[in-house]
Amino acid sequence: MNTSTLANQNQFSKKKYAWSGRFSEPVSELVKNYTASLKFDKRLAHCDIQGSLAHAEMLSTQNIISIEDLRNIEKGLNQIILEINNDTFSWKIDFEDVHLNIENRLIELIGDAGKKLHTARSRNDQIATDMRLWIRDEIDDLTNLLNKLLCVLANLSLEHADVIMPGFTHLQVAQPITFGHHLLAYAEMFKRDIYRFKDCRKHMNYLPLGSAALAGTSFPIDRYRVAKNLGFDGVCQNSIDAISDRDFIIEFCAVASIIMTHLSRFSEELIMWLNPQVNFIDIEDQFCTGSSIMPQKKNPDVPELARGKTGRVYGHLISILTVMKSQPLAYNKDNQEDKEGLFDTVDTIRSTLIVFTKMMQCIKPKSYNMRLAALKNFSTATDFADYLVKKGLPFRDAHEIVSKVVYDCEKRGCGLEDLTKDEMKKYHSKIDDDVRNILTLEGSIFSRNHVGGTSPERVREEAKAILKQHYSVDT
Ligand code: ARG
């Protein structure tokens, strides 16, 4: 390449890229397309501008830029917000990412003042800040959605606190429980998910700006001012860590994965309950789909998809863990891979929570079928054993006696409640007529009236507590 071509190239590249001054030839189209993050990171635009506004405000109060420069920057950035909102902003892949697109447009709009915005800042602390701001908003929104789901579950539990169904272990009928109690088991899981989001938010709510590329900056910045303006609880204490770690994204994806696990388990049960052989619930037609070949089918596509989508959320968690695992300090371009999986995670849990919550509002338990199923498989055998213990027998002996009764009933093809008083007496002299009530489904559930137990009274109490604590205005 002769000197004049080189000079031309340099001129071209200097004009084109914020960083291209030291380059002798423009970046190849192939590399440009491979490395650009614009098509997905433009989603961060509003957070990016929010961070820039706070940074510029601080630069001016610290006399690093003038007040006029600040006013121009504010005017320019506000204009850019409008353009983005109206879809008139012209995104250019040549400018690689959201940060450089906005900065270049700012310079186009306000000239030299725009060139000063990046003082005491790097795209490394900028992106670390944008990501935190973005996730923080999403956590707040998703928490609201979890609250709504909790309220729907609590209302459903209140309404059906007396409905009895079989409780399962090993998917075998184990003991009678109330439908409300079963639903509130999921409510407990979602309550913990809300606390997990709270913790995750707390861990990441520190400001990276001021860390610049990795080592901090020589300008007399005021990081606490920026932190306060952006609603952070403090500032990151180590500039190298601040710009390089993405553990907050890992944590977020882990919480999201746990939420999807809960939704997936719930979905699995709904699918089972909707199976005509089980037939425990009805769900409005609007949440089901038909088959293109079998006219009789009503398929539970929503819970099936919720169960299926769990896979991609787990995948994104593994993906971000893997992105981080071999990176030396400090910033590496690998980190750019933190975004698409995160965005998809948020989109997936948001849409799943919304549709799942709506669907739960349309669930009707079929109490007769549930009751019939609960009457099967000697579901009150434990109550029988407990009865004998209360009459003075050691639990192990009581267990053995009831096993024998169950064995005999099974052979005769009858239930415990079908035995006469005399037949009962043969198993132990302490068995009396009062055992009858103990062996009923109601006897069983009403006796479990302690905190965390299945009795309707406790279910109502817990449901009300959830409504009181988690009710959100827009539920
Ligand atoms: N697009 C980049 C990312 O997502 C922004 C930071 C770029 N920094 C850099 N030194 N190349 O991580």
Side-chain angles (χ1 to χ4, degrees), residues 148-193:
K148 284 185 188 171
L149 176 55
L150 270 181
C151 292
V152 169
L153 293 181
N155 278 321
L156 209 54
S157 306
L158 262 184
E159 196 184 334
H160 304 291
D162 298 297
V163 171
I164 298 175
M165 66 180 284
F168 297 89
T169 58
H170 312 274
L171 210 54
Q172 309 283 322
V173 173
Q175 291 176 339
I177 54 168
T178 48
F179 181 55
H181 193 52
H182 195 100
L183 295 177
L184 291 187
Y186 285 103
E188 286 302 301
M189 300 177 216
F190 295 127
K191 263 161 72 178
R192 287 193 295 276
D193 292 335

Side-chain angles (χ1 to χ4, degrees), residues 175-307:
Q175 291 176 339
I177 54 168
T178 48
F179 181 55
H181 193 52
H182 195 100
L183 295 177
L184 291 187
Y186 285 103
E188 286 302 301
M189 300 177 216
F190 295 127
K191 263 161 72 178
R192 287 193 295 276
D193 292 335
I194 290 177
Y195 300 140
R196 271 185 268 270
F197 265 156
K198 266 201 177 120
D199 280 347
C200 172
R201 194 187 195 287
K202 204 164 66 195
H203 298 157
M204 56 163 232
N205 203 26
Y206 292 90
L207 175 78
L209 277 178
S211 306
L214 79 160
T217 172
S218 58
F219 291 95
I221 55 171
D222 180 352
R223 298 186 66 207
Y224 290 98
R225 185 176 182 90
V226 182
K228 195 159 170 256
N229 275 346
L230 292 175
F232 285 105
D233 295 327
V235 303
C236 295
Q237 294 295 308
N238 181 298
S239 60
I240 301 171
D241 169 59
I243 54 95
S244 62
D245 209 342
R246 297 290 182 268
D247 59 359
F248 60 99
I249 300 181
I250 296 175
E251 199 175 347
F252 177 88
C253 288
V255 177
S257 295
I258 296 173
I259 295 173
M260 287 306 289
T261 307
H262 295 154
L263 289 169
S264 182
R265 292 188 71 186
F266 209 162
S267 296
E268 173 74 6
E269 297 212 275
L270 296 175
I271 293 162
M272 209 159 59
W273 293 347
L274 276 167
N275 180 310
Q277 324 248 343
V278 178
N279 205 10
F280 277 4
I281 54 168
D282 206 1
I283 201 166
E284 277 182 14
D285 281 358
Q286 52 167 324
F287 289 99
C288 297
T289 54
S291 155
S292 59
I293 177 168
M294 298 165 283
Q296 83 285 11
K297 292 296 290 290
K298 181 170 165 181
N299 294 329
D301 284 22
V302 169
E304 280 173 4
L305 259 181
R307 188 177 57 184

Side-chain angles (χ1 to χ4, degrees), residues 360-401:
M360 286 314 294
Q361 279 172 307
C362 304
I363 295 275
K364 303 238 174 336
K366 295 186 169 175
S367 49
Y368 180 74
N369 295 347
M370 287 183 170
R371 188 178 178 86
L372 276 189
L375 284 168
K376 285 185 190 147
N377 294 65
F378 312 99
S379 65
T380 55
T382 317
D383 300 85
F384 195 177
D386 290 351
Y387 166 85
L388 291 172
V389 170
K390 286 167 197 163
K391 295 270 176 176
L393 273 76
F395 183 76
R396 280 286 153 238
D397 293 346
H399 186 280
E400 207 179 311
I401 290 167

Side-chain angles (χ1 to χ4, degrees), residues 19 35-38 40-41 44 96-100 122-128 131 213 243 246 331-339:
W19 41 257
T35 54
S37 52
L38 181 66
F40 48 87
D41 70 8
L44 299 167
E96 190 182 325
D97 58 26
V98 63
H99 322 293
L100 295 178
S122 147
R123 276 186 296 160
N124 294 353
D125 57 351
Q126 196 177 348
I127 185 64
M131 294 301 275
I243 54 95
R246 297 290 182 268
Y331 179 85
N332 303 283
K333 188 76 164 176
D334 310 42
N335 282 339
Q336 188 165 290
E337 283 297 304
D338 62 358
K339 290 171 196 60

